[in-house]
Amino acid sequence: MLCFENDYSEGAHEAVLKRLLETNMEQLPGYGTDRYSESAKEKIRSVCGCPDADIYFLSGGTQTNQTVISSVLDTHEGVIAAQTGHIATHEAGAIEWTGHKVLMLPQKEGKISPGDLAEYLASFYSDENYGHMVFPGMVYISHPTEYGTLYTVKELSELSSVCREYRIPLYLDGARLGYALAARGTDVTLRDVAKYCDVFYIGGTKVGALCGEAVVFPGADTPAHFMTKIKQRGALLAKGRLIGVQFDALFTDDLYLTIGRNAIETADALKEVFREKGYEFYINSPTNQIFVVLENDRMERLKEEVIFSFWERKDETHTVVRFATSWATNMEDVEKLAALL
Amino acid sequence: MLCFENDYSEGAHEAVLKRLLETNMEQLPGYGTDRYSESAKEKIRSVCGCPDADIYFLSGGTQTNQTVISSVLDTHEGVIAAQTGHIATHEAGAIEWTGHKVLMLPQKEGKISPGDLAEYLASFYSDENYGHMVFPGMVYISHPTEYGTLYTVKELSELSSVCREYRIPLYLDGARLGYALAARGTDVTLRDVAKYCDVFYIGGTKVGALCGEAVVFPGADTPAHFMTKIKQRGALLAKGRLIGVQFDALFTDDLYLTIGRNAIETADALKEVFREKGYEFYINSPTNQIFVVLENDRMERLKEEVIFSFWERKDETHTVVRFATSWATNMEDVEKLAALL
Amino acid sequence: MLCFENDYSEGAHEAVLKRLLETNMEQLPGYGTDRYSESAKEKIRSVCGCPDADIYFLSGGTQTNQTVISSVLDTHEGVIAAQTGHIATHEAGAIEWTGHKVLMLPQKEGKISPGDLAEYLASFYSDENYGHMVFPGMVYISHPTEYGTLYTVKELSELSSVCREYRIPLYLDGARLGYALAARGTDVTLRDVAKYCDVFYIGGTKVGALCGEAVVFPGADTPAHFMTKIKQRGALLAKGRLIGVQFDALFTDDLYLTIGRNAIETADALKEVFREKGYEFYINSPTNQIFVVLENDRMERLKEEVIFSFWERKDETHTVVRFATSWATNMEDVEKLAALL
Amino acid sequence: MLCFENDYSEGAHEAVLKRLLETNMEQLPGYGTDRYSESAKEKIRSVCGCPDADIYFLSGGTQTNQTVISSVLDTHEGVIAAQTGHIATHEAGAIEWTGHKVLMLPQKEGKISPGDLAEYLASFYSDENYGHMVFPGMVYISHPTEYGTLYTVKELSELSSVCREYRIPLYLDGARLGYALAARGTDVTLRDVAKYCDVFYIGGTKVGALCGEAVVFPGADTPAHFMTKIKQRGALLAKGRLIGVQFDALFTDDLYLTIGRNAIETADALKEVFREKGYEFYINSPTNQIFVVLENDRMERLKEEVIFSFWERKDETHTVVRFATSWATNMEDVEKLAALL
């Protein structure tokens, strides 16, 4: 069975696993205070170009979004996101669970535009009843988006300007950030992310780690007692080393910056196959997720030999499905899939 | 200054105030266990045709929506509402504050259609990822809607059928229910509301009371220990009599069923004025709220002599505004406004 | 049937009711922006000696505690209270419902001591694991306490000093503040309360109003967008006038400062009766609540003719019960009770 | 530097790590639906003697307590725990964060007694005001307790009887369950735990895993859509395999039942050392945590060569500290510590 189901089908990158093995019997203090966590933070600060950044390690993406957003917002505030944003759709209401509304903006290919954001905020404050409404207290974007698309530096810069005008933080969900950084043609680096965002996370789970995401507050304006807030939300690992060691490996020898290339190369090859065979793309994604429209009968037959993801029904006879590659995808599997198609 | 700002500009209907005066020095037990609250409940049960209904009195509309919805939903569930529903827009995130998402449906003139609801629910359960999404656990409608429009018995019946098919309760927000019942041409009675809804509230604040809403569970399937849940949400009045006495007055001699007529008659007269003068209606509302499009300069001049409500900006030079009548509106004031226009 | 059940058995003081009647048909803006609310605030500022105070009107005590505490605390903080504090015992978990722990201190006659508070705070910060614990973010006291006892100016001042040393606000629950101010021998005035507390509320429900409490932030350091936070918690009345008018009456001609005297006088007379008849007092309360130990058989017989409150079981054969007087208690009823005993 | 700081100082047991390595590149479905998770569940069902049990894997202890308790309780309910219970003290208010109060019972050596529990429940329902109080909706115990002590089968059985009489579930926090099972003289097996508890978790983090706890509902009466509830609380790992594989290893060849023996043996040896040297024990703990009273100067000197945990101040000149052993402790280190003392 071929598997293009997602980018978390395998365990960890071998360099990550190797570090876990090497450090396994070292006795280290808990809760992320160990020296590997410290070393990983120092490396991340360096590559992000923000020497004073506060950095915390959490286990997964939904947990990270929930913890960051509910710690940054005041109680009467909500978070602005694209209608297709992960927090708006596939996190089972994790944000609302903490008492905050997700305020939805229209999106184009998964992205929100600086213009729409500015209009939303201007419109909010010009509504005479805004005192009875949920205040916009933060802007959430994902990069790559849920559709694998990417913001440009110009877009990030403009979103950031709007946010700073209204004094609300810009938060970037980088669950798949490694694939964004490795994409062809992108002009966005980690330094840009750190420059334009007020808080963001660097995804590990989908980019070579067993688990783990690194939250970065580049300006060190972390919510008070954030460690306690993490604990309170059930998100503090006793063996913080588990994530610290992995990120230390991911940020050694630029592994995080190169790990995504295989995903991009195999995705590009796979897109070429779909293109040649005349398949319809649902969206033009430059990263590791490929959205294809399949005729339902064909989809059912393909399912017998390949694992891929349901995305959404298109019409009575067609379905949008997703093929994902990752740091671990074999070009051989792409060729096998090509043969099948 | 003429005032058509809303339907809660005055205090209480004189019959309501009279009962408060008459009973003022009686010593009564607290928390809604007094005999006036009991009498009011019995009268409501009778007019609703549901002798076993459980009934509770709360202070205001947002509080009632928050208390009912957060008590009925399981933690992983959200409540479906029109995008223009009060809980989705003007309750400052009161539902999310209790941990639940408001799931938004498209609306037409403030109403959701049984077809859209059925499609939403079918679509939810056919999405292979629904386990990662917020479950629909309740349907919220308002009657009249936020645009003053009304459901028909047929629509209520169909919405109810869809809800019962999926075993989720249908909840009706009746903040202005008195005006719905008094509207010309409506076929919906309190008995219909009690028949098709699983829980609803009869609004007092906007229909002749100083404060107070009556929550009705017609099938007596109230959440366990609902009184304690009300207390926990800060919504239990020590002097429950304050609302009990008022509802006892409102449901004596069918006052609640007749109190709305004045609002409808004055609204109709006012609509006639706007029509004659060639004003554009934003929506055709059959109850006590009139939505008119005003050219901005004209609006500013009118503001100097009349109080009305901002609704939304229509375009650069026009604004949608609302004129509201109520049980207390004088026909004389309508005539004065006509003269002004 | 004689009734000494509580201090909210009757409706409103006649002066309060009169103002409601007089203003009933005035058209006023909603949500507490009317001129009576404004006038009431100005009068309260004046008597409290804090001309810049922010003041808000809410409906009831539990609601007020919930709204204030959950708006002031940061998410990782809890509120310190006596083990017998209302928020710790009889508010059905309203504070926890908003995500915050009630941190309990030992009490003596319902009061917490400055020494115990200082020790708790010192101990917290000297515990090496405090990062894994709930941070103390506020101190809650009630005056009178749940046992009718009173703090002295010295105690208030010392509690305030400890709070200010640790930079946590001191919050005073004044549900029965009118009875505290009228008690014999107390040295605490409203000015003292405003001087030593960072936020407090002046209770109306139990002191002559139909409903309503006035929250005062004497230093005007109100949480951002507090009105929206009130709305979000379901605590904003559309007809804010209902409470504004009542407080305007209560603070006209010092009514609030005198209304409690009748409660104190009748309570003193009643205490004298119990003393003469040899009843055991559970606690020596200087305000309007009298706690007496009754032998169970005697209690059952007395229940046939007098309504009073169960407080707690003392032992197999005795129960602690409470007799309460109020602004509305008749001395005649005290005499009838004396005859019965 | 010698380290007896806690039982999570090292990484994973070698057998656990080996399985992670072996399975690392297998492509597996996410969210715990992989075959290793399934295999682990089957093994746990077998050793617990409950073939129909529902089992879920979560990352850490606080997260597990928060997720289970907030999913099982109705909104108006709280959870009963010992005053020293982990959820009552060292989880930063994680339970209150979800809206529920921790109702505290007195404890003896970290345990609650069936008698105290029965009395609390009887007293609650005999209080005439219980409708205004937090309902007891669950009982939380830890085994071993926070003081390393153990319940007997008789005690578990009696606690269970009281819970079943009041129809509230008994929940056992087994963060260190492996050390309880391996303790000398205990009569409690996993089958007993499954028999007397309605839900419990088997701790991995402190017993040989990198992370992970296994929640067991022996009677399969899991809260509806528990997987979605886990996701909503931010506790669902994308790579569920990470925990599934580890528990599959821990429950292969009875590893979990034997892994604790080393902790017990080294703890016993260490206790013998303390006893011989005349140290005062704070409590007599039969598992892997040793609580010793140290004179402060001596403590400071010892800190220079050994890492142990602060527990609490005893008096001006003495401190209670904790030495912990684990599956990974070397007897050699015990000897070194003996030499130091």
Side-chain angles (χ1 to χ4, degrees), chain B residues 8-9 11-12 24 31 209 239 241, chain C residues 9 11-12 24 31 209 239 241:
Chain B
Y8 43 92
S9 294
N24 187 56
Y31 307 113
K239 290 184 182 165
R241 68 193 289 156
Chain C
S9 294
N24 187 58
Y31 307 113
K239 290 184 182 166
R241 69 192 289 154

Side-chain angles (χ1 to χ4, degrees), chain C residues 33-312:
Chain C
T33 58
D34 63 280
R35 61 200 180 91
Y36 295 104
S37 295
E38 209 38 69
S39 162
K41 290 177 190 180
E42 207 44 61
K43 288 170 182 169
I44 291 172
R45 283 184 196 107
S46 171
V47 68
C48 291
C50 40
D52 300 323
D54 284 337
I55 300 176
Y56 296 84
F57 297 114
L58 284 91
S59 301
T62 296
Q63 179 182 85
T64 301
N65 289 333
Q66 183 179 60
T67 300
V68 169
I69 292 170
S70 71
S71 296
V72 168
L73 292 182
D74 195 352
T75 60
H76 66 290
E77 296 175 333
V79 55
I80 294 175
Q83 280 179 314
T84 50
H86 208 250
I87 58 168
T89 55
H90 287 109
E91 298 194 352
I95 303 306
E96 290 84 359
W97 174 243
T98 68
H100 301 280
K101 191 181 186 80
V102 178
L103 301 160
M104 290 190 290
L105 276 195
Q107 50 82 35
K108 198 172 164 191
E109 304 198 332
K111 292 159 61 177
I112 58 178
S113 77
D116 284 349
L117 177 62
E119 189 183 313
Y120 181 90
L121 291 165
S123 168
F124 178 83
Y125 285 105
S126 72
D127 187 322
E128 293 182 11
N129 296 312
Y130 77 78
H132 296 254
M133 293 158 64
V134 176
F135 277 62
M138 189 181 215
V139 174
Y140 165 97
I141 57 174
S142 39
H143 182 80
T145 68
E146 294 71 15
Y147 286 96
T149 53
L150 296 174
Y151 288 91
T152 62
V153 166
K154 181 163 178 292
E155 287 168 330
L156 282 185
S157 157
E158 288 174 5
L159 286 170
S160 180
S161 291
V162 177
C163 286
R164 284 170 193 179
E165 184 189 338
Y166 284 91
R167 300 187 180 215
I168 56 179
L170 177 61
Y171 170 48
L172 182 144
D173 175 336
R176 295 186 166 97
L177 190 52
Y179 303 128
L181 299 171
R184 294 184 213 278
T186 182
D187 59 352
V188 175
T189 64
L190 262 178
R191 283 182 180 249
D192 295 315
V193 171
K195 179 176 175 191
Y196 294 115
C197 298
D198 301 288
V199 49
F200 63 97
Y201 82 84
I202 302 170
T205 302
K206 293 170 178 167
V207 193
L210 285 170
C211 66
E213 327 293 322
V215 176
V216 184
F217 290 90
D221 50 353
T222 312
H225 298 289
F226 192 55
M227 194 276 277
T228 302
K229 288 183 170 112
I230 292 173
K231 175 88 178 186
Q232 179 188 26
R233 284 147 182 83
L236 189 68
L237 284 192
K239 290 184 182 166
R241 69 192 289 154
L242 169 58
I243 306 180
V245 167
Q246 292 184 88
F247 269 89
D248 195 43
L250 284 171
F251 280 84
T252 297
D253 298 336
D254 286 342
L255 178 59
Y256 194 81
L257 303 180
T258 57
I259 198 173
R261 285 182 201 155
N262 180 70
I264 301 300
E265 285 162 14
T266 47
D268 284 355
L270 190 49
K271 269 182 274 188
E272 189 52 33
V273 171
F274 282 118
R275 200 172 290 118
E276 278 174 11
K277 309 276 183 188
Y279 282 79
E280 179 189 351
F281 290 96
Y282 177 64
I283 207 167
N284 181 24
S285 163
T287 55
N288 70 316
Q289 302 182 79
I290 307 170
F291 299 88
V292 179
V293 179
L294 290 186
E295 194 274 326
N296 288 350
D297 286 347
R298 178 162 216 128
M299 176 178 74
E300 291 306 325
R301 283 200 309 278
L302 202 57
K303 266 189 187 173
E304 288 162 24
E305 307 192 66
V306 190
I307 307 175
F308 49 86
S309 295
F310 167 90
W311 204 254
E312 61 185 61

Side-chain angles (χ1 to χ4, degrees), chain B residues 4 15 18 20 22 25 41 51 86 120 135 139 141 146 204 207 230 242 259 272 289 316:
Chain B
F4 291 90
K18 189 157 164 284
L20 283 174
E22 289 167 357
M25 292 306 289
K41 290 177 189 180
H86 207 251
Y120 180 91
F135 277 62
V139 174
I141 57 174
E146 293 71 16
V207 194
I230 292 173
L242 168 59
I259 199 173
E272 190 51 33
Q289 301 182 80
E316 288 297 303

